[in-house]
Amino acid sequence: MPIPLRWRLLDAETGATAIECTDIDGLFVDREFPVEPAYERYTLLSCVPAGPLLAAIDGTGPAWFGNFLINGAHLSGRPVSEACGPDCYECYSTGEELLDVRVVGQRPAADGSGLLDVDLEGHRRVQDNNRGGTVAPAVSGYRLAVWPAVNGSELEMTPVGDCRDIAGLFHERPEIWPSGPPVTLLGCTPGLTGSVQAELAHVRVDGTVHKMGWGSRVHGRVVAVGPSAVGDDLVDITLDARIPEPLAANERPLWDMWRAGGPTGPNLWAKLDRSDRYLWVRAAAAHRRYAPDKPAGRVYHLDGRHVTDFDAFFCAIGEAINGPGGWFGGDLFWLHENAATGDGGATPGFRMIWHESEVARTHLVSGFDHKSWLPAVTFDDLVRYLGEDGVQLELR
């Protein structure tokens, strides 16, 4: 059987193959994942600090907070400090989260109110609220709160005061991970013309097709067709489309491996750093082979020798359940879904032996996770979550 071309565009409406090609310029961009955040300076204007914020200002508490939550006071006539109900959409939609925040200065408020202007340093969590953080909401002030900095088990907010306004928060920023360059399909079968509305799929050498999802869609028009250096009967096709969420340069070796058939043995991810382990889990999810859950009563063995970080746990449990390169979730949501409800490869209620668990106990400890920008998930957290989801876990 001839080896299939590597990439396939599937018609967005019918799912039929629109075209096949050997490679795609514009899919992998010349950037390394992750992108380091740009730290900014913010000023809480006319602030009434309380709790940990007041302690940071007067020196009786640490200057660093972790994450800082900001919600707009959108109801006229109500004190800024008076919160709405827990399900208020306006509060949610005007909210902002600042990450890895510390207090760096304070002084009497410039408006003569007798309050304080407080300087913070941190960076904004990327989200869509307030037009992506570019436009200040129409509010009379802001309520302030913090997440616990190091306890991932208890994410209760602590109010820390309010302020009249915030300087330095709402402005245009460069995109953290912009769309890719214009797409050129290299070494294609001829025939694609006109408008293209397609979903991209990755094809293994054995012919298995893996759809890549909405972030890798190709929507545009053909603007040029020419001979291809890849083969005499193939063409290169240029489109005015861009991949909305292109892959990073350091993902290409992983995708090359899955193209060839996938990992050939366990723990090939162990030599990677944490960022690349995250990309490993993402590639495993993209190349998941769907099959019924294995029968109840099976015992799974998690090799814990290399579980030195949160993403390593998902590399290891994916292989414990589904073999080398297997996927069993990449975050707590999918861990719960797969363990508690099935469809991840193992019938719920399964037994799992976690070998060399002391490695994870030593490394997955309380602290602030500078990858997720949240309190770290600990070994004890994972053990508890698995137990709550019905996993019969044995630690060795």
Side-chain angles (χ1 to χ4, degrees):
M1 184 181 73
I3 297 175
L5 298 183
R6 179 168 187 172
W7 304 100
R8 192 171 295 180
L9 270 64
L10 306 176
D11 185 270
E13 290 189 3
T14 67
T17 299
I19 199 168
E20 297 174 301
C21 61
T22 303
D23 207 350
I24 302 175
D25 274 351
L27 174 59
F28 291 92
V29 296
D30 189 22
R31 302 183 70 187
E32 294 287 311
F33 178 91
V35 177
E36 290 300 318
Y39 281 77
E40 301 176 322
R41 180 72 63 90
Y42 314 105
T43 302
L44 309 176
L45 300 173
S46 300
C47 178
V48 182
L53 178 58
L54 179 59
I57 291 169
D58 65 20
T60 60
W64 180 80
F65 285 96
N67 292 358
F68 207 84
L69 304 177
I70 298 167
N71 286 109
H74 58 89
L75 294 177
S76 61
R78 175 180 287 188
V80 172
S81 59
E82 186 176 332
C84 298
D87 299 322
C88 177
Y89 174 76
E90 286 78 11
C91 286
Y92 170 79
S93 63
T94 61
E96 294 285 342
E97 185 177 7
L98 307 181
L99 311 176
D100 200 17
V101 174
R102 67 177 60 249
V103 174
V104 294
Q106 57 87 17
R107 58 198 170 277
D111 62 5
S113 62
L115 304 176
L116 293 175
D117 289 347
V118 181
D119 295 325
L120 307 177
E121 185 179 80
H123 59 100
R124 176 183 179 272
R125 188 180 292 281
V126 177
Q127 58 179 352
D128 293 334
N129 285 7
N130 306 308
R131 298 185 187 177
T134 63
V135 178
V139 297
S140 58
Y142 297 91
R143 290 183 298 277
L144 313 171
V146 295
W147 291 116
V150 297
N151 189 343
S153 301
E154 300 176 8
L155 289 179
E156 292 295 328
M157 294 185 299
T158 300
V160 294
D162 58 73
C163 64
R164 175 181 58 81
D165 203 355
I166 302 174
L169 175 55
F170 299 105
H171 59 86
E172 295 283 349
R173 296 173 175 85
E175 289 187 71
I176 295 295
W177 199 264
S179 300
V183 167
T184 299
L185 308 176
L186 305 174
C188 303
T189 52
L192 188 67
T193 59
S195 179
V196 178
Q197 302 284 319
E199 180 180 0
L200 188 59
H202 191 218
V203 185
R204 300 197 199 204
V205 293
D206 66 3
T208 304
V209 179
H210 300 280
K211 297 180 180 180
M212 295 176 59
W214 185 245
S216 299
R217 63 193 182 275
V218 179
H219 289 185
R221 294 187 61 83
V222 174
V223 296
V225 179
S228 177
V230 176
D232 292 340
D233 298 327
L234 303 176
V235 296
D236 293 344
I237 301 175
T238 302
L239 300 99
D240 61 5
R242 297 173 184 265
I243 302 294
E245 298 176 10
L247 301 174
N250 48 332
E251 292 186 83
R252 185 181 282 275
L254 300 177
W255 285 69
D256 289 346
M257 179 172 58
W258 259 277
R259 159 69 171 171
T264 55
N267 294 326
L268 297 183
W269 51 268
K271 62 185 178 182
L272 304 176
D273 65 16
R274 182 177 172 190
S275 294
D276 285 345
R277 289 173 175 182
Y278 170 85
L279 295 179
W280 176 287
V281 174
R282 195 161 80 161
H287 296 92
R288 177 185 176 190
R289 295 184 189 267
Y290 290 87
D293 288 340
K294 290 174 276 297
R298 181 162 177 171
V299 179
Y300 300 91
H301 294 267
L302 190 154
D303 182 349
R305 290 176 295 167
H306 309 290
V307 181
T308 56
D309 56 61
F310 183 64
D311 296 292
F313 167 76
F314 288 101
C315 295
I317 195 172
E319 294 195 337
I321 304 297
N322 292 308
W327 179 85
F328 197 71
D331 55 33
L332 295 180
F333 172 82
W334 282 110
L335 179 65
H336 164 72
E337 288 292 299
N338 290 328
T341 67
D343 200 34
T347 299
F350 60 88
R351 180 181 173 215
M352 184 170 72
I353 300 173
W354 188 334
H355 299 272
E356 306 290 344
S357 61
E358 193 62 28
V359 174
R361 188 190 300 276
T362 301
H363 287 86
L364 275 63
V365 296
S366 294
F368 188 74
D369 188 337
H370 283 83
K371 298 295 184 183
S372 67
W373 305 105
L374 289 169
V377 176
T378 69
F379 170 78
D380 290 337
D381 292 332
L382 291 173
V383 169
R384 177 166 56 83
Y385 297 149
L386 290 168
E388 290 172 349
D389 289 337
V391 176
Q392 302 173 53
L393 185 63
E394 180 180 337
L395 302 178
R396 293 187 181 176

